[in-house]
Amino acid sequence: MHGQAESPAARSTYSRVAIWLHWSIGLLVILNIAIVLVRENFEALSRTMMGWHKAIGILVLALSLVRIVWRLTHRPPPLPPMAAWEKGLSHLVHFLFYLFIIAIPLSGWLWMSAAETHRPISFFGLFIVPMLPVEQSKALAESFGEAHEIMGLATIGLIILHVAGALKHHFVDGTNLLERMIPGLRNR
Ligand code: HEM
Ligand code: HEM
């Protein structure tokens, strides 16, 4: 997903918008995974937490559409020097992230829309998210649910790889990679 050409004008950090979208989506995705993983320990709050999970997911979907448009119209800074396999792996992980931040919330939304009981999805109490026009069927709902869970759990593995890669390139290879994505570290 990275532009390869290194023109003299290429920037050395991500744009403010790209950074803002990276961290807002990234933290919301981590929060959403944490919510489903811990909610069973909070019996009384479990239903409310599931409501947050759905609303946060819809917010991630909206932010991700903006992010993808931004990404397609703004070239990221070129990668620092690294082995070809590391470049390949980082492109693959980034590509899967872009795919999943759309496909995971969308599959959750489709899952709820295909379910035989339409439980309303409230967007933080502000409005009710409409159901998507899909057939209501148990089998279809189950398929969307399965896709949702597989991609959601796979994301945990991707996050571990992604963070490990970022820390390795920053601290072990000394390429200051984190500065590109952490505003406080910029221009130092
Ligand atoms: C604490 C966790 C995280 C850290 C430390 C982190 C760090 C970074 C850094 C340093 C980059 C820039 C890499 C480069 O310069 O090429 C980056 C890019 C990226 N990160 Fe993260 N990240 C985190 C969490 C996440 C999460 C949860 C997601 C997905 C939901 C995510 C998605 C992405 C994507 C898609 C890119 C590529 C941006 C592009 O070039 O288009 N990150 N991240
Ligand atoms: C950022 C977006 C989202 C992420 C990363 C995410 C991730 C996950 C994960 C990891 C699970 C647990 C899978 C398992 O334990 O097997 C899950 C379950 C679930 N998700 Fe999502 N999800 C997102 C958005 C949504 C949306 C938008 C909806 C519905 C509108 C939704 C509805 C559900 C439901 C109903 C469950 C089942 C919970 C249970 O175990 O009872 N999710 N999600």
Side-chain angles (χ1 to χ4, degrees), residues 28-30 32-33 36-37 39-40 50 53-58 60-61 100-101 104-112 121 148-153 155-156:
L28 289 172
V29 165
I30 292 172
N32 235 12
I33 293 174
V36 276
L37 295 184
R39 76 186 184 95
E40 276 172 15
M50 216 44 229
H53 178 86
K54 293 175 189 173
I56 290 169
I58 298 293
V60 167
L61 178 59
F100 284 0
I101 56 180
I104 295 175
L106 191 59
S107 62
W109 191 4
L110 285 165
W111 180 9
M112 298 300 104
I121 304 173
H148 185 76
E149 294 185 351
I150 292 170
M151 291 187 288
L153 297 176
T155 301
I156 300 175

Side-chain angles (χ1 to χ4, degrees), residues 2-5 9 21 36 49-50 59 81 119 122 162:
H2 285 275
Q4 299 297 324
L21 287 167
V36 276
M49 288 171 82
M50 216 44 229
L59 178 59
R119 224 183 284 135
S122 165
H162 181 64

